[in-house]
Amino acid sequence: MPAGFPDFRLGNVLATSFTGTLSERHGDAIERIPTPQRLVDWLRVNGLAVDSCTPAQLERARELRESIHAAATAAATRAALPAAAVRVINDCSVQGRASAILAPEGNRHWQLSSPTCVADALGVIAADAISIIAGERDGKLALCASPTCRAAFFDTSRSRTRKWCDMNTCGNRQKKARFNASHRKESSS
């Protein structure tokens, strides 16, 4: 995986992994697709290889990412889905013309209509978002308990009680903070 693309767990769902390309949304936000080439890299790593991306396509991708995050956040909190977010997700889904291909190993792969068609890749991501937000998959949308993160993730744990988008990042940070606070409290006593 290219540097700067941590292995987002976020429920191993393409749509929520895509929303993870902007992390620490409620802190010092970190943009992981700052350039068109970084979007090309992210898409390739996630099985949606395109040859290139324009600045306008990058902006459309970010618009889709934020729309998925807004809709997933609303679904996780059982609020009404934002109409503007639903419109962007649906538009991207309809504009994409990717085809699901069954590989000889039994895995599904996506075939884009052309190697330059970012709209196809965004359509796959949008369709994935529709699937999880509509409740078609076994799991539950949730929000990371980290106050600076609040990433939407798809919880497929047996109990559906995961708190963190990723235990190695947000969960570990919170564990360390609790440990340090407890240690400081013991030291001052």
Side-chain angles (χ1 to χ4, degrees), residues 153-172:
F153 66 92
F154 196 62
D155 183 1
T156 57
S157 68
R158 190 171 293 185
S159 64
R160 307 290 195 263
T161 57
R162 256 180 61 196
K163 288 184 167 187
W164 317 111
C165 63
D166 184 78
M167 193 57 204
N168 292 325
T169 54
C170 291
N172 191 42

Side-chain angles (χ1 to χ4, degrees), residues 66-136:
E66 295 312 302
S67 296
I68 293 170
H69 181 73
T73 297
T77 60
R78 293 190 164 85
L81 299 179
V86 169
R87 201 168 23 263
V88 170
I89 293 167
N90 288 339
D91 287 349
C92 285
S93 180
V94 169
Q95 290 169 4
R97 293 185 316 269
S99 299
I101 303 296
L102 183 61
E105 315 80 58
N107 300 340
R108 177 184 65 189
H109 295 276
W110 290 100
Q111 182 175 328
L112 307 182
S113 65
S114 83
T116 59
C117 199
V118 173
D120 285 357
L122 297 181
V124 171
I125 296 167
D128 190 60
I130 291 167
S131 173
I132 62 169
I133 293 167
E136 296 176 350

